[in-house]
Amino acid sequence: MTFSDVDSTGRDAPAHDAGAAAPAGPLSEVRAGERVIVVEVGLDAELAGWLGAMGLGPGQTLTSIRRAAFGGPLHVRTGSGGELAINATLARSILVAPLPSQRRVG
């Protein structure tokens, strides 16, 4: 992901080592093909509840499928297999973090 080193309060985040978890950032910054986990949905309770019911709530995984041109919607697949188009404004209100890399056992 292309997140800056700024924490959720807007302050510079402390430096982190390669083994530390990557910083969280808005869903709007996720590139196509990336898998992330939802950390926080910064919206009113009714809309956040609706998104949660659609599989887009805290703790749930998402895969970015594609991004529309010219700031259009972000198409995502939820961990349960549902697909949604999220507009750019809404995607900026959803805080996500990259999934930890999964190691293959040889």
Side-chain angles (χ1 to χ4, degrees):
M1 284 195 270
T2 58
F3 302 136
S4 63
D5 287 328
V6 175
D7 67 15
S8 61
T9 64
R11 296 181 299 234
D12 285 341
H16 57 281
D17 60 70
L27 179 59
S28 60
E29 297 294 319
V30 175
R31 293 185 215 126
E34 286 188 280
R35 292 187 65 219
V36 295
I37 188 164
V38 178
V39 175
E40 180 181 334
V41 179
L43 299 164
D44 65 69
E46 185 176 339
L47 185 53
W50 180 82
L51 287 171
M54 299 296 290
L56 216 148
Q60 298 178 339
T61 60
L62 301 174
T63 302
S64 174
I65 299 172
R66 71 181 68 80
R67 302 178 66 85
F70 307 110
L74 175 66
H75 187 186
V76 298
R77 181 176 297 121
T78 66
S80 60
E83 294 186 9
L84 302 164
I86 306 296
N87 77 35
T89 302
L90 188 60
R92 284 191 289 276
S93 299
I94 300 168
L95 189 64
V96 297
L99 287 176
S101 7
Q102 298 179 7
R103 294 183 177 177
R104 294 183 123 179
V105 177

